[in-house]
Structures are given as structure tokens and as C-alpha cells.
Amino acid sequence: MSVRIGILTSGGDCPGLNAAIRGVARAAYQTLDAEIVGIRAGYRGLIDGDYQVMQQSQFSGILTMGGTILGTSRTPFRNMRVVEEDNVDKVHAMKMNYRAMRLDCLVTLGGNGTHKTANLLSQEGLNIIGLPKTIDNDIFGTDFTFGFHTAVDIATDVIDRIHTTAASHNRCMVIEIMGNKAGWLSLYAGMAGGADVILLPEIPYDIEKVAKVIEDRSRIGKNFTIIAVAEGALSLEEAAMKRKEREAAWQADEFYSVSHRVASQLEKLTNVECRTVIPGHMQRGGSPCAYDRVLSTQFGVHAAHLIKKGKFGVSVALKGNDIGENKLEDIAGVPKPVDLDHQIVKAARNINISFGD
Ligand code: F6P
């Protein structure tokens, strides 16, 4: 069976994208009479018709490479149906270019925004398969996304390295970990790195309770405290505000990032010297860990199986130990926040890690 497969990577990059692309390509070349079209810079390339027919050799040597050989961009879903200054009807353009590229199907690798657009294109009649990537692990219907475990390893390493400075200087160190809406990365890295406090977007914190952790630790001779804070964590007061009101308050403040706000308040409340560390995009960079290489490859291979079966309008998923898929319409745009009864949250509480609540 001869089949022409488009592939694009959209949204923030993360480790494992190339491993997943390679997985799709190798399985497709092996099991189908496949031709693969690489679309550049995510949906931007589909809108602009920016693509190349790939050679098999282009998928060699990329398993361990970070980033994406296809390039990526953020093309927000909310703008997809909005005609902007360039006067381009983006949905129409994507459908026309899909046809101009003579695609039989399109594999989209991305996070929540990518999946929403994938679902839109599927509803517009295109044959779409999504692959769930993001360091945030916040895609509904899959136990894990690829990229997440690598980011956990990186953030854990940061916390490990910070411990020595914290202990040597008797400091409180506040490490800001990526994750705006979901705190999975902070939860896992905080637990793995032995943080004393983990602050998540899902659990508004009381800064006085965080200060008490520092004081209680000093009282029993522990002269330093490690706080892992998700970039989207909110205080009780902030959580009670409307988003615009909150953002205005932050902009008026000298501290725009959560770690700086937390550290400055804690210094005032406790008199303990505080420092902040923001590893930022390092958490998305470099080579995927072994787990992500395997998961990305499995996801890619499963996408090729689905193409062979002619099953579209789905996103590949990890469910327990099995690789399966979900209908795009069932998962696109559905959030996956940290469940407050999650066993890791409970285990953390059982070893006296504070969530500031
Ligand atoms: O979705 C992945 C992520 O790294 C989030 O954790 C973070 O909030 C966001 O992307 C940062 O986006 P950008 O790279 O566009 O600044």
C-alpha cells in the first residue's frame, strides 16, 4: 500500500521529538510503501505550504538529538479561525496545502494546543494522528507524554546541585520549575530531589505556612530549606483574584516570577537568606533520557500501525503498560491537572513534604 504521510511538530520543543519522528518513519518505511513529507515549523508550515519530501537517510542519527529536525512554532489554537492582518484563512490554507502536498494523512506531534488544532483539522475531514509530547505531562488520556521524564531528570539534577549550596550557606533555595497550568514536573522533581516544600498550580499556598516550614526545620537543627515551585503556582490571595487582576498586580510588582515573589516574602517573614534558581528552558533541552527514547519510539511506531489500519482522528497514548489511542475529540483541550489525591501527593505528605496548604 502506497501512502504519503505528513509530519509536523508544533508548540514548545522537548526531548524525544526526533525519536518519535524517527519511530514513525522507520515503522512506516518498513511496513508501508511510504513517502514522508516533513512540514517545517509546525502548523505555520502547513499554513504557508513550507515542506520538503524527506529522504530515508534524514531520519538516521536523530534518536538522541534534542529539539526537532522539522522546527516548531507556537500557532495558538484560539487564532486558527481568526483572519489576521495577512488576510489568510488559516484553516482553509491548511486544508488546501494538505491536498497540494497530496497527503493521505498527517501526524502532529505536540501538546494541548497542537491537539486542539489537530482535532479541528480532523473535524474538517483530514486524516490526523496526534502524538502527545510535552514536558508538562498535562495531556488528558495518556499516563505520560514524551519529554516529561527527561525534564524530571534535569529538574531533579538542578535540585540535587542546589542542596550543597543551601546547606553550606544556611539558605532557603527556591527553585522555579516549568509548568504553568499543571504541576506534574514540580511534583516529580520535587519528590525526586528531596524538596522540603513543593508548590503547585493546583494547590494555592499560604506563604505563612511555607515560612513555618523553614522555622520548624531551623528549630530541629536543619539549617536550610529547598522549595520547588511550579512557575504557575499561586498564593491563596492570587488564586482568589481574576486572571487579569492578578497579572496587573504582578506587573506592578518588581518581582514578575513566582520564585522571586516567594523568596522575597520568605526572607521578610523568616530572616533566613533566600536565593532563587530558574533553570527555565534547560528543562526542555538536550538529549532525551532512555525512558523518553523508548516511549517516543513506541508512540511513533504505533502511529505507523494506525496509518496502516486507516485509523485516524486519534491521539496515541500510554495506558498502564500498553500503547493505545484516544479519539481526538475526547481529549483535545481537556486539562490534566495534578489530582490532589494522587498517590505521589499522598506519599509526599506522608514524608512531611509541605504543599504550603
Ligand atoms: O509547555 C511547555 C512549557 O515549557 C511550559 O512548561 C512553559 O510554561 C512554556 O512551555 C514556556 O513556553 P515558551 O517556550 O513559549 O516560553
Side-chain angles (χ1 to χ4, degrees), residues 45-65:
L46 188 58
I47 294 165
D48 296 345
D50 185 5
Y51 66 95
Q52 60 166 314
V53 177
M54 307 287 285
Q55 302 304 309
Q56 202 159 338
S57 59
Q58 288 177 278
F59 299 104
S60 266
I62 63 169
L63 171 66
T64 61
M65 270 172 58

Side-chain angles (χ1 to χ4, degrees), residues 172 197 199 205-219 225 227 262 265-272 274 354 356:
C172 166
V197 179
L199 303 179
Y205 62 85
D206 176 344
I207 197 72
E208 308 255 349
K209 291 201 173 142
V210 181
K212 188 161 179 307
V213 173
I214 299 175
E215 284 156 357
D216 288 350
R217 282 175 60 77
S218 304
R219 221 166 286 126
T225 300
I227 301 180
V262 166
Q265 288 171 344
L266 289 176
E267 227 169 43
K268 285 186 197 125
L269 288 168
T270 63
N271 267 330
V272 169
C274 296
S354 166

